[in-house]
């Protein structure tokens, strides 16, 4: 016990020496009671900062988990709407064969009935539903009508390629939010014409 008191007294003298150099803390060091309150307050503050620092480093390095994680489950928020830049390509070549100089622009909003039949309706619309919606949007466009009958006949849902942050999204059964797509994000869509 005497070592703890000796350590505290030594720590307090170091703190008081540093605080006496500051004009702001001079009036806190006039009275013996205010000296104790100030030094205890600063020691507690430093201990809290050290604790939070060690705690967050441990979380970041995955040494331990966040307490209460099993009770407070972090559910991603479903995607309510997205913006689409649609590009028409040939033969799945994204760079060389973009046919339209300006992309087709769409704004797709998802209503609750669009995902109420999903396995997890609280996660929102799936990538497959979005792909199908984009397929029909392009099929109903005036550009699609200008294509040859052979090109129209060969156009399938699998010819709609959806990209987010330059990575293709492929798992149609997963909701958009699990692909990292949030409300208001912009997706690049490539309509492949063979």
């Amino acid at each position: 016990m005497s070592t703890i008191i000796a350590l505290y007294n030594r720590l307090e003298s170091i703190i008081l020496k540093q605080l006496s150099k500051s004009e702001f803390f001079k009036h806190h060091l006039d009275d013996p009671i205010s000296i104790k309150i100030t030094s205890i307050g600063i020691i507690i503050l430093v201990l809290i900062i050290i604790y939070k620092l060690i705690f967050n480093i441990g979380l970041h390095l995955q040494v331990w988990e966040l307490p209460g994680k099993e009770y407070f489950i972090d559910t991603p928020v479903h995607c309510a709407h997205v913006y689409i830049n649609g590009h028409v390509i040939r033969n799945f070549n994204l760079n060389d064969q973009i046919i339209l100089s300006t992309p087709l622009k769409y704004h797709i909003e998802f209503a609750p009935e669009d995902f109420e039949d999903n396995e997890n309706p609280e996660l929102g619309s799936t990538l497959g539903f979005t792909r199908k919606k984009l397929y029909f949007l392009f099929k109903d466009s005036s550009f699609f009508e200008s294509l040859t009958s052979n090109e129209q006949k060969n156009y399938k849902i699998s010819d709609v390629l959806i990209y987010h942050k330059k990575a293709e999204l492929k798992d149609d059964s997963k909701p958009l939010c699990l692909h990292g797509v949030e409300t208001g994000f912009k997706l690049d869509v490539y309509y492949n014409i063979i």
Side-chain angles (χ1 to χ4, degrees):
M1 187 71 170
S2 62
T3 56
I4 294 174
I5 294 172
L7 182 65
Y8 170 77
N9 288 335
R10 186 168 177 215
L11 190 58
E12 185 181 49
S13 67
I14 293 170
I15 291 171
L16 293 176
K17 185 177 178 184
Q18 294 299 319
L19 290 180
S20 64
K21 295 178 185 176
S22 170
E23 191 66 39
F24 178 75
F25 286 105
K26 281 218 185 220
H27 68 282
H28 289 284
L29 304 177
D30 293 341
D31 188 36
I33 293 175
S34 68
I35 290 174
K36 287 290 181 198
I37 291 172
T38 304
S39 63
I40 289 172
I42 289 179
I43 290 171
I44 290 173
L45 181 67
V46 168
L47 289 175
I48 289 172
I49 291 171
I50 290 171
Y51 167 77
K52 290 300 279 180
L53 187 67
I54 292 171
F55 180 76
N56 287 327
I57 289 172
L59 284 177
H60 183 71
L61 296 176
Q62 297 177 346
V63 175
W64 47 74
E65 290 184 354
L66 194 62
K69 183 180 177 185
E70 61 275 4
Y71 303 112
F72 302 104
I73 299 169
D74 190 18
T75 305
V77 177
H78 76 275
C79 181
H81 66 91
V82 290
Y83 296 97
I84 305 295
N85 280 340
H87 308 280
V88 181
I89 60 172
R90 288 199 189 278
N91 301 323
F92 294 101
N93 192 339
L94 300 183
N95 298 322
D96 300 335
Q97 298 293 324
I98 293 180
I99 297 170
L100 293 174
S101 58
T102 57
L104 302 169
K105 296 197 180 279
Y106 299 113
H107 177 228
I108 300 177
E109 291 188 20
F110 303 105
E113 54 269 6
D114 292 339
F115 47 83
E116 64 187 8
D117 295 334
N118 290 356
E119 186 178 317
N120 293 320
E122 68 275 357
L123 296 179
S125 181
T126 62
L127 179 65
F129 176 82
T130 308
R131 189 183 309 275
K132 189 183 288 184
K133 193 165 187 132
L134 289 166
Y135 168 80
F136 286 112
L137 279 171
F138 181 66
K139 198 167 185 179
D140 294 339
S141 71
S142 58
F143 182 80
F144 186 79
E145 293 172 6
S146 69
L147 297 174
T148 65
S149 61
N150 190 37
E151 289 173 329
Q152 288 180 359
K153 187 176 65 177
N154 290 333
Y155 178 64
K156 304 177 292 301
I157 290 180
S158 60
D159 292 330
V160 179
L161 310 173
I162 302 174
Y163 283 78
H164 174 57
K165 295 182 180 176
K166 298 184 181 183
E168 185 176 2
L169 308 179
K170 294 185 178 182
D171 189 355
D172 282 355
S173 63
K174 276 174 73 172
L176 287 174
C177 63
L178 297 182
H179 283 286
V181 178
E182 296 178 15
T183 298
F185 275 22
K186 189 177 285 187
L187 300 176
D188 287 308
V189 176
Y190 296 90
Y191 298 102
N192 183 48
I193 304 300
I194 297 175

